[in-house]
Amino acid sequence: DVKVTQSSRYLVKRTGEKVFLECVQDMDHENMFWYRQDPGLGLRLIYFSYDVKMKEKGDIPEGYSVSREKKERFSLILESASTNQTSMYLCASGGTGPLREQYFGPGTRLTVT
Amino acid sequence: AQKVTQAQTEISVVEKEDVTLDCVYETRDTTYYLFWYKQPPSGELVFLIRRNSFDEQNEISGRYSWNFQKSTSSFNFTITASQVVDSAVYFCALSESTGGFKTIFGAGTRLFVKA
């Protein structure tokens, strides 16, 4: 079974703090993704990575950065957390070619106060 | 531009009823992939099925079936004899071959199955 794990299920941070969300997959997938999910807005892509050290902006990259130093690990960084970044963050990994379905982690519910 | 529309925001059925979740997509690519995902109340999205644009065969898996029709750009999902455990949010999604593995998700349909 594909396993995607995220470092925390729940996180509470203060405005202005630097926040790291970690994601690890065990399927040797090339592609990894970070989404945020908000009520009424569905899943929105923040960043994705198709290889180690490679990254591409998604639809809402502002206020976020990412790091992929190893194939299995993809980190999302909030440089200076703000209250409008309170959300559910979902990490996913996926293969290439036709086998591009994504496997998701359990999510991290981040609250910024 | 690619787009996925799930017009049904919420559906409520009684257990054992059949229910169909609609999905309409837009794409200019001739090669693309369609997916359905389930997000139960626990929150973790689970992949259900992938269909590529060259394969219009319908698929059945237990109580689940999928109807892919290119002529109407639809990829509908039917649950037969629904059960309470089917209560979840269901997402339809599209990935174009030229899109670099990006996937566009529909807004989701929340299904309530009442006992």
Side-chain angles (χ1 to χ4, degrees), chain A residues 37 97-102, chain B residues 37 39 50 95-96 101 103:
Chain A
Q37 185 176 22
L99 303 178
R100 57 180 64 194
E101 55 270 19
Q102 294 179 20
Chain B
Y37 292 85
Q39 187 176 37
R50 165 180 26 92
S95 178
E96 296 174 327
F101 303 106
T103 300

Side-chain angles (χ1 to χ4, degrees), chain A residues 58-78:
Chain A
D59 301 316
I60 51 164
E62 297 77 21
Y64 304 94
S65 62
V66 290
S67 171
R68 193 166 180 201
E69 297 296 320
K70 293 185 177 180
K71 190 175 185 178
E72 67 272 17
R73 190 179 296 268
F74 191 35
S75 301
L76 179 69
I77 303 152
L78 288 67

Side-chain angles (χ1 to χ4, degrees), chain A residues 1-6 23-27 29 32-33 90-94 102-107, chain B residues 44:
Chain A
D1 269 359
V2 177
K3 194 75 175 173
V4 179
T5 56
Q6 294 183 230
C23 175
V24 178
Q25 53 101 356
D26 67 358
M27 278 301 291
H29 282 155
M32 295 189 74
F33 307 82
L90 300 174
C91 175
S93 73
Q102 294 179 20
Y103 294 88
F104 285 81
Chain B
E44 190 163 334

Side-chain angles (χ1 to χ4, degrees), chain B residues 16-79:
Chain B
K16 297 194 178 120
E17 279 187 38
D18 298 347
V19 58
T20 295
L21 310 182
D22 297 331
C23 174
V24 174
Y25 63 92
E26 292 177 28
T27 178
R28 292 194 188 123
D29 273 21
T30 54
T31 302
Y32 53 89
Y33 306 88
L34 296 164
F35 308 87
W36 276 96
Y37 292 85
K38 174 182 180 180
Q39 187 176 37
S42 60
E44 190 163 334
L45 271 93
V46 176
F47 162 67
L48 295 177
I49 189 171
R50 165 180 26 92
R51 258 294 171 262
N52 72 45
S53 52
F54 300 115
D55 183 2
E56 280 194 80
Q57 266 195 323
N58 292 332
E59 174 131 355
I60 299 175
S61 176
R63 296 184 297 105
Y64 293 174
S65 62
W66 291 270
N67 181 258
F68 175 30
Q69 292 197 338
K70 286 175 78 169
S71 60
T72 55
S73 297
S74 65
F75 185 42
N76 296 337
F77 174 25
T78 297
I79 302 174

Side-chain angles (χ1 to χ4, degrees), chain A residues 6 21 35-36 46 64 76 85 87-90 107-108 110:
Chain A
Q6 294 183 230
L21 302 183
Y35 297 88
R36 63 178 282 177
I46 304 171
Y64 304 94
L76 179 69
Q85 292 178 309
S87 186
M88 171 69 86
Y89 289 88
L90 300 174
T108 296
L110 172 68

